[in-house]
Amino acid sequence: MTVQRPQQVETLLDEVEAITADILARPECVAADIHGVAAWASETCHELRRTLAQGDAAAAAYIGYRLGERLGALRELGEIARRLALYKSPDQKAHDRDAERRKAFWTERDRGFSDSEASKRAAAKLGVSAKSIRRALLGH
């Protein structure tokens, strides 16, 4: 017999599982999780799903209550994981910028333009100077 789960419980489980996946995917966040909240929440979600499948409403309510008690700490760790996922170091930003400039240069070069003309055209497309395109090519 399939038990119909309340939508709020499904939403909670989906949110918790998404947050724990974000946290456990990043080593920095796992290191910040000194109390093991993410791993505990993941195990608790599996336990809650299993209990709901068995139809034990009392046990499911208790497990949901325990999960709700630590949801604040889990959300905080999830926010740290999201910020870390979006953060790029200055070196990474410079690398990405240079890669974009090199790609624009080589696109123009492949179209048959000379090096100097390809630099000028790539610079015009990206809104930068031709000198910055040449610097990206030289790896500066």
Side-chain angles (χ1 to χ4, degrees):
M1 179 173 108
T2 305
V3 177
Q4 182 66 22
R5 297 179 191 158
Q7 184 61 36
Q8 297 87 349
V9 173
E10 283 297 324
T11 303
L12 173 67
L13 287 171
D14 291 344
E15 177 188 1
V16 170
E17 287 171 344
I19 291 171
T20 55
D22 287 345
I23 293 168
L24 295 175
R26 303 196 61 78
E28 308 90 23
C29 293
V30 174
D33 186 12
I34 56 175
H35 299 294
V37 175
W40 175 86
S42 180
E43 292 171 13
T44 304
C45 282
H46 294 301
E47 184 181 346
L48 182 56
R49 284 192 190 278
R50 193 172 44 252
T51 305
L52 286 170
Q54 293 171 352
D56 190 353
Y62 177 69
I63 293 168
Y65 171 76
R66 286 188 1 231
L67 189 60
E69 283 183 326
R70 298 185 80 180
L71 190 58
L74 186 65
R75 284 182 175 154
E76 186 177 313
L77 283 170
E79 185 60 33
I80 291 170
R82 280 187 286 283
R83 276 184 274 158
L84 285 173
L86 295 175
Y87 175 77
K88 286 188 176 182
S89 68
D91 289 340
Q92 182 63 39
K93 288 178 184 176
H95 173 75
D96 292 347
R97 182 184 61 236
D98 286 349
E100 179 185 22
R101 291 175 181 176
R102 284 190 297 272
K103 181 180 177 185
F105 171 81
W106 287 110
T107 299
E108 295 302 321
R109 189 72 174 100
D110 289 344
R111 290 184 178 158
F113 294 101
S114 67
D115 286 354
S116 63
E117 190 61 29
S119 293
K120 290 176 189 173
R121 289 178 58 91
K125 284 187 178 180
L126 296 177
V128 296
S129 68
K131 187 175 184 178
S132 66
I133 299 292
R134 288 190 299 274
R135 283 183 183 153
L137 290 170
L138 296 174
H140 291 105

